[in-house]
Amino acid sequence: MLEHKKIQNLSDYFVELNSRREKGVYFYRINGYSEEVGEFIKKYYDTARRTGVVIEGKIPNPDEGNLAYYNEIMGMDFQMSMDFIHVSLRKWLPRMNEFQRQNVAASIYDSLDSLRKAGKTENMLRNAYIKFMCWLYYKFERIVNQLGENHIPKILYEGQISNYELMLISILSNAGCDVVLLQYAGDQGYLKTDPGSVLSDSLQMEGLQPFPQGYCVKKVRDEIQNELNNERLYGIRPSLTNCTNAWIKGNGLDDIRESILLRGNDSRFFYNCFCRINGAEDKLTYANELFRLQQELRNSKRNTVIVSKEIPRPTPQEISEIKRSNYTSGDQMLLGLACNIQYGANPELQRILHKTFVDVMLAESQKEGEN
């Protein structure tokens, strides 16, 4: 069996077994939230979803059908012995290798032995054993053959864990599985089951706050899905990002006059200015100042567009030239409309226009009370 080890930081969870500082598994309870914890949960959830098990709410108790199938294959015999458990696992979960079977059998035996020492009867031990076996088959069968492998499987459990659930997940953890418990209501309930924190560790980090109202795995899943949808909407991202107004001195028209070459030298950005001027310092000279600015911009070979009062509304002909279709979702509509943004002479500018269009439309779609 593998020992529980301490993490130095949350990224340790994603290190393969043979590359860890100490060879072992991690089993932590998360009782508080921070931005770093939120990003970790998102990544851990995605990993557990693909190569592990995510439990939202309780693990369902075996139903009549589950028990009937177990009885048909295994019978209802029970012996409190390592050999019996080991032989039963070979028949019930044949995908496990010998090393995995030995670890799981030993861990099941230890858990049942702790129940026996706590005064549980033989019949209670048999019921617990059958429950563990059914849970292993119906809920965790996809990871039992990965236990103890270099790429360690993950379990994410959300909510208040029960005594028997904690026993089973500890069995899997000891056999070679990382575990994270998300406890939105804090640690008090857990400590009633494991007062000495023997089976798992509580995550201690600076800056942890209570989980946000309504936080849950479903919201994490939705956020990941939205990010995937957005990646599809954005396509190839531009290599340049706007740096708007961060470089200006607050001199209005003089900031606009500033040479592009003098605004900044970070190759990741293009430096632009968005300046709104309400009123004029001198009504008599204001028109001449604007005319002089226009001349200076033209003399410096900078393209200018002058809009007086409002941007003209599109003409029917312009509207008809926009390629459209029937859409079944907002994302599909954005993807279709964005295809109208074509500027083959400058692919980078086309990507910037595409990204800006999607940014604005997504922001508008999220405003409450608007379609």
Side-chain angles (χ1 to χ4, degrees):
M1 293 190 290
L2 291 172
E3 294 182 354
H4 290 178
K5 300 298 182 181
K6 306 288 186 182
I7 61 171
Q8 289 188 336
N9 53 66
L10 290 170
S11 62
D12 289 347
Y13 260 101
F14 305 108
V15 177
E16 293 186 338
L17 181 61
N18 293 337
S19 300
R20 294 185 173 181
R21 291 176 294 101
E22 297 179 274
K23 192 169 184 178
V25 293
Y26 306 128
F27 190 162
Y28 273 82
R29 312 186 302 276
I30 299 181
N31 303 302
Y33 184 84
S34 68
E35 186 174 334
E36 181 183 356
V37 167
E39 289 302 313
F40 164 76
I41 291 172
K42 189 188 302 182
K43 183 176 180 180
Y44 189 89
Y45 164 80
D46 192 51
T47 304
R49 176 187 62 82
R50 290 182 287 105
T51 61
V53 175
V54 177
I55 301 166
E56 300 176 57
K58 299 293 184 183
I59 306 174
N61 280 323
D63 59 26
E64 290 184 7
N66 300 151
L67 294 172
Y69 180 71
Y70 176 83
N71 184 35
E72 179 184 343
I73 302 299
M74 304 297 295
M76 289 298 180
D77 292 339
F78 170 70
Q79 297 175 27
M80 186 60 188
S81 76
M82 275 281 294
D83 288 342
F84 175 81
I85 298 172
H86 186 271
V87 171
S88 298
L89 285 172
R90 182 183 293 120
K91 183 177 182 181
W92 184 237
L93 295 166
R95 292 208 301 158
M96 284 197 293
N97 61 37
E98 188 62 25
F99 175 75
Q100 291 162 343
R101 265 193 298 273
Q102 288 176 353
N103 284 341
V104 172
S107 195
I108 290 176
Y109 181 86
D110 289 345
S111 295
L112 294 176
D113 192 47
S114 69
L115 291 175
R116 180 172 61 179
K117 291 176 180 177
K120 300 298 183 183
T121 65
E122 185 78 10
N123 191 52
M124 290 177 175
L125 296 179
R126 182 179 70 89
N127 290 340
Y129 167 76
I130 293 174
K131 176 179 284 194
F132 291 159
M133 293 291 273
C134 286
W135 276 348
L136 286 171
Y137 182 85
Y138 289 107
K139 191 65 180 178
F140 297 96
E141 198 274 339
R142 66 176 296 195
I143 66 169
V144 292
N145 67 324
Q146 303 174 44
L147 296 171
E149 297 292 324
N150 190 39
H151 188 70
I152 300 177
K154 315 288 186 196
I155 294 175
L156 177 64
Y157 185 103
E158 173 188 59
Q160 186 62 54
I161 195 166
S162 70
N163 184 36
Y164 283 104
E165 288 175 319
L166 180 58
M167 281 188 174
L168 178 76
I169 289 179
S170 294
I171 288 168
L172 292 166
S173 176
N174 293 336
C177 183
D178 288 332
V179 182
V180 168
L181 302 185
L182 297 181
Q183 302 189 136
Y184 307 135
D187 220 15
Q188 296 83 357
Y190 175 90
L191 292 175
K192 293 177 182 177
T193 303
D194 181 21
S197 288
V198 174
L199 301 178
S200 67
D201 295 296
S202 176
L203 180 67
Q204 303 297 322
M205 290 177 62
E206 291 185 5
L208 289 183
Q209 302 292 329
F211 278 92
Q213 187 70 29
Y215 185 91
C216 62
V217 167
K218 182 181 182 301
K219 283 196 172 183
V220 173
R221 181 168 57 250
D222 291 344
E223 185 178 345
I224 292 173
Q225 187 59 51
N226 286 337
E227 289 177 358
L228 292 174
N229 289 342
N230 287 347
E231 285 300 315
R232 185 170 56 87
L233 288 175
Y234 283 105
I236 300 175
R237 301 270 184 155
S239 58
L240 288 174
T241 303
N242 59 297
C243 177
T244 303
N245 292 351
W247 55 274
I248 66 173
K249 299 173 183 176
N251 297 327
L253 299 182
D254 287 338
D255 288 323
I256 295 175
R257 288 188 176 94
E258 185 79 18
S259 169
I260 302 298
L261 299 176
L262 299 177
R263 295 181 177 186
N265 55 12
D266 192 323
S267 60
R268 297 173 299 168
F269 302 111
F270 63 88
Y271 296 85
N272 64 331
C273 176
F274 193 148
C275 181
R276 186 181 71 251
I277 300 177
N278 299 320
E281 292 184 6
D282 189 332
K283 293 182 180 180
L284 296 177
T285 62
Y286 181 63
N288 287 334
E289 285 184 17
L290 290 180
F291 180 76
R292 184 159 58 90
L293 173 65
Q294 178 188 358
Q295 290 299 112
E296 290 176 6
L297 294 176
R298 285 179 176 174
N299 291 339
S300 61
K301 307 299 183 183
R302 288 163 65 180
N303 296 327
T304 58
V305 174
I306 298 175
V307 178
S308 180
K309 295 184 179 179
E310 66 177 12
I311 300 174
R313 295 180 181 275
T315 65
Q317 181 180 350
E318 289 172 332
I319 293 174
S320 68
E321 291 175 357
I322 300 297
K323 296 177 182 177
R324 289 168 289 175
S325 182
N326 295 321
Y327 308 110
T328 58
S329 69
D331 286 352
Q332 189 185 58
M333 180 187 70
L334 284 182
L335 198 60
L337 292 176
C339 290
N340 288 282
I341 301 173
Q342 299 291 331
Y343 195 68
N346 190 333
E348 180 66 11
L349 178 57
Q350 179 177 317
R351 293 183 190 122
I352 292 172
L353 292 170
H354 182 114
K355 177 184 180 299
T356 304
F357 172 77
V358 174
D359 283 345
V360 170
M361 296 301 289
L362 286 177
E364 287 296 313
S365 70
Q366 291 169 3
K367 289 183 179 179
E368 293 185 9
E370 296 187 17
N371 294 323

